[in-house]
Amino acid sequence: MTTAVHTSSAYTTDISRLQVTRLTGALGAEVSGISLSDAPNPVLRDTISALLHEHEVLFFRNQPLNSQQHYEFARQFGDLHVHPIYPHVAERPEILILDTHGKNPPDAINWHSDVSCIERPPLGSILAIKQLPPVGGDTLWASATAAYEALSEPFKQFLAGLTAQHSLIHSFTEEQYARTPEERVHWQKAKDNNPPVSHPVIRTHPVSGRKAIFVNEDFTQHINELSRRESDAVLQFLYRHVSHPKFTVRWRWQPDDVVFWDNRITQHIAISDYLPHRRIVHRATITGEKPF
Ligand SMILES: O=C(O)CCC(=O)C(=O)O
Ligand SMILES: [Fe+2]
């Protein structure tokens, strides 16, 4: 389904040209007819926010953004997070780099939501592809609202009120990130600055009011109110459930694509099927609110 969004604006971006094409039943829409490198524009920002709340992940083709434009586009939606471990572009600490190839294989190989291990996890992330492998390197997103809504009422009631512990070093392990003395100093600092936090297992989107499963394989350690064995079983079920194909959308990247996801109610996974070829993405990560 393709719909035109009619909004008039005094800004340089003509929003009347904006077109939205829904991609799957669960989530995702391709948005065209606008330029993300235009000067910050509250009308465009509010339109994109509304579309994000409706579709959960927005895909934009042909949006060449330099780091400053990437920063300025993202900055309209909130404060930007500086990642404690990943490298960033020289000119902007808020724009992180994932540069993966045969000698630096990707580590984001589990379904996850970004940095769920901090008090105010990101409301969204904006990813720009910088180098594509010859084939492969797709990314998938899953709707944690659709997955939640598909659960039975008794199971929803069981999950209500549970909390889970999330930890940075569950994902960024000592083995992987503290291999050299310099890496160890960096990793230890990241660990000290990011102690584990607890969040509700089911969170509520602050705007749409929809509920979503908010545990993920990368950062969640255990459900606080359950025994370890019970927690492991429930978490395994929830991870498998969220990533069911009927709750997902898969994106085949083209040069200069940009993707903006609502990180509170989706999870994603990058497919590591292109090694030893190289793939580079840049990400801006927008700070969110304390989950409730
Ligand atoms: O490389 C990708 O497509 C996504 C990697 C990832 O998990 C992220 O940027 O948050
Ligand atoms: Fe991620």
Side-chain angles (χ1 to χ4, degrees):
M1 185 185 61
T2 299
T3 46
V5 175
H6 298 286
T7 324
S8 61
S9 146
Y11 292 88
T12 50
T13 298
D14 179 3
I15 300 202
S16 66
R17 292 176 179 282
L18 189 141
Q19 292 251 315
V20 182
T21 307
R22 178 76 179 204
L23 295 182
T24 72
L27 80 170
E30 187 176 334
V31 180
S32 60
I34 51 166
S35 166
L36 306 185
S37 59
D38 288 350
N41 172 341
V43 176
L44 180 61
R45 179 201 61 206
D46 293 349
T47 304
I48 289 176
S49 284
L51 290 171
L52 188 68
H53 299 148
E54 183 180 352
H55 299 288
E56 306 188 352
V57 189
L58 302 178
F59 300 91
F60 305 88
R61 296 273 192 211
N62 302 314
Q63 300 287 345
L65 294 179
N66 63 33
S67 294
Q68 183 61 21
Q69 290 165 332
H70 191 170
Y71 169 85
E72 279 172 14
F73 175 66
R75 184 71 190 80
Q76 298 180 81
F77 299 91
D79 292 335
L80 301 188
H81 175 254
V82 176
H83 199 278
I85 301 264
Y86 283 138
H88 54 76
V89 301
E91 59 277 28
R92 278 281 171 205
E94 299 88 349
I95 305 293
L96 70 78
I97 306 171
L98 299 177
D99 179 353
T100 48
H101 46 80
K103 293 206 171 88
N104 183 38
D107 62 355
I109 51 170
N110 293 316
W111 283 95
H112 65 279
S113 74
D114 292 333
V115 217
S116 69
C117 57
I118 57 178
E119 283 289 338
R120 295 170 54 210
L123 75 80
S125 293
I126 300 175
L127 198 67
I129 193 104
K130 297 294 165 182
Q131 184 169 326
L132 274 167
V135 71
D138 294 357
T139 309
L140 280 81
W141 283 263
S143 169
T145 56
Y148 173 77
E149 287 158 13
L151 295 172
S152 68
E153 281 308 318
F155 200 64
K156 286 180 185 163
Q157 280 169 30
F158 165 70
L159 296 173
L162 297 181
T163 61
Q165 185 169 296
H166 297 238
S167 159
L168 180 78
I169 60 165
H170 189 69
S171 176
F172 294 87
T173 61
E174 186 169 5
E175 297 73 52
Q176 230 186 332
Y177 286 92
R179 281 178 299 206
T180 65
E182 299 84 60
E183 276 183 5
R184 173 162 294 278
V185 170
H186 189 56
W187 178 84
Q188 188 65 47
K189 189 168 160 225
K191 182 184 174 197
D192 293 346
N193 289 340
N194 293 277
V197 297
S198 285
H199 295 307
V201 169
I202 305 300
R203 74 181 290 184
T204 306
H205 192 283
V207 180
S208 72
R210 286 176 79 182
K211 289 185 176 171
I213 296 166
F214 193 63
V215 287
N216 69 86
E217 212 170 346
D218 261 1
F219 294 106
T220 309
Q221 288 180 304
H222 57 264
I223 297 177
N224 294 316
E225 296 80 5
L226 303 183
S227 73
R228 191 53 69 113
R229 275 157 55 85
E230 290 167 342
S231 168
D232 288 348
V234 172
L235 289 176
Q236 282 309 318
F237 165 74
L238 290 173
Y239 300 155
R240 198 153 56 90
H241 179 67
V242 170
S243 61
H244 189 285
K246 74 182 167 191
F247 304 128
T248 70
V249 61
R250 179 170 181 145
W251 188 247
R252 280 184 84 179
W253 295 91
Q254 291 176 11
D256 294 326
D257 282 356
V258 171
V259 180
F260 187 176
W261 63 90
D262 191 322
N263 190 63
R264 301 170 285 203
I265 50 164
T266 62
Q267 297 190 16
H268 56 278
I269 188 169
I271 306 295
S272 170
D273 60 353
Y274 51 86
L275 300 175
H277 295 288
R278 193 170 181 192
R279 180 179 182 276
I280 304 174
V281 288
H282 287 183
R283 188 179 91 202
T285 313
I286 305 153
T287 307
E289 65 288 316
K290 195 170 160 47
F292 58 88

